[in-house]
Amino acid sequence: FSPLQPMRSAMIYHAFALALLQCLCSTSASTVYTATLTELDGSGVSASVTIFVDNATGQVRGVGSATGLEADLTSTLVGGANCTALNGCGAHVHSGSACTNTTTQGGHYYNGTTDPWASIGYMSTTSAGVASFTFIFTDPATDMSGKPFIVHNN
């Protein structure tokens, strides 16, 4: 795995790929985190993610993509019949400090009253098993350096 690292200007169950976030650039205004995810347990899935954090407002924006996923999925969140498992098709920052197992990965990383990661993930996959995901939310938990980022399966 590779860690997500911040750049400032700006798996709990069934994980396919994961990595630790690394800080790429940092200023007082914003932080940017990135990770290149590697497969878990021979899944064949790889992914990348970039997360932009506005340090003043707590707004979190992200974009990522994954390959090697199950083909032709459509999430129930957009009217499909797939991704019904807990965290199914999810893409999340977790609260832990390592990617070793579910204990070190921790749960979803947030500090508000509602889990902003609950509905974040890829909404569909192509016939080749490729997916992309984007997200935007506001939460006080914005220091993501060294936190696991996990792409879950269907």
Side-chain angles (χ1 to χ4, degrees), residues 12-149:
I12 290 188
Y13 305 102
H14 310 290
F16 268 145
L18 48 84
L20 296 179
L21 290 165
Q22 297 178 325
C23 181
L24 292 181
C25 177
S26 185
T27 69
S28 60
S30 60
T31 305
V32 179
Y33 299 90
T34 64
T36 301
L37 288 68
T38 57
E39 69 179 313
L40 182 64
D41 298 330
S43 70
V45 174
S46 61
S48 64
V49 63
T50 301
I51 299 173
F52 305 88
V53 175
D54 182 316
N55 295 323
T57 66
Q59 185 178 72
V60 177
R61 295 175 184 238
V63 60
S65 62
T67 61
L69 298 164
E70 186 177 342
D72 298 316
L73 296 176
T74 303
S75 171
T76 56
L77 295 175
V78 292
N82 306 114
C83 309
T84 58
L86 178 64
N87 292 317
C89 300
H92 315 116
V93 174
H94 282 245
S95 62
S97 59
C99 299
T100 314
N101 56 47
T102 58
T103 300
T104 63
Q105 293 163 7
H108 295 166
Y109 181 60
Y110 67 100
N111 194 22
T113 56
T114 303
D115 180 356
W117 297 104
S119 62
I120 293 174
Y122 51 97
M123 297 298 117
S124 63
T125 60
T126 67
S127 60
V130 176
S132 62
F133 51 90
T134 61
F135 52 87
I136 183 170
F137 62 85
T138 300
D139 188 86
T142 59
D143 183 2
M144 299 178 187
S145 189
K147 298 293 183 196
F149 190 89

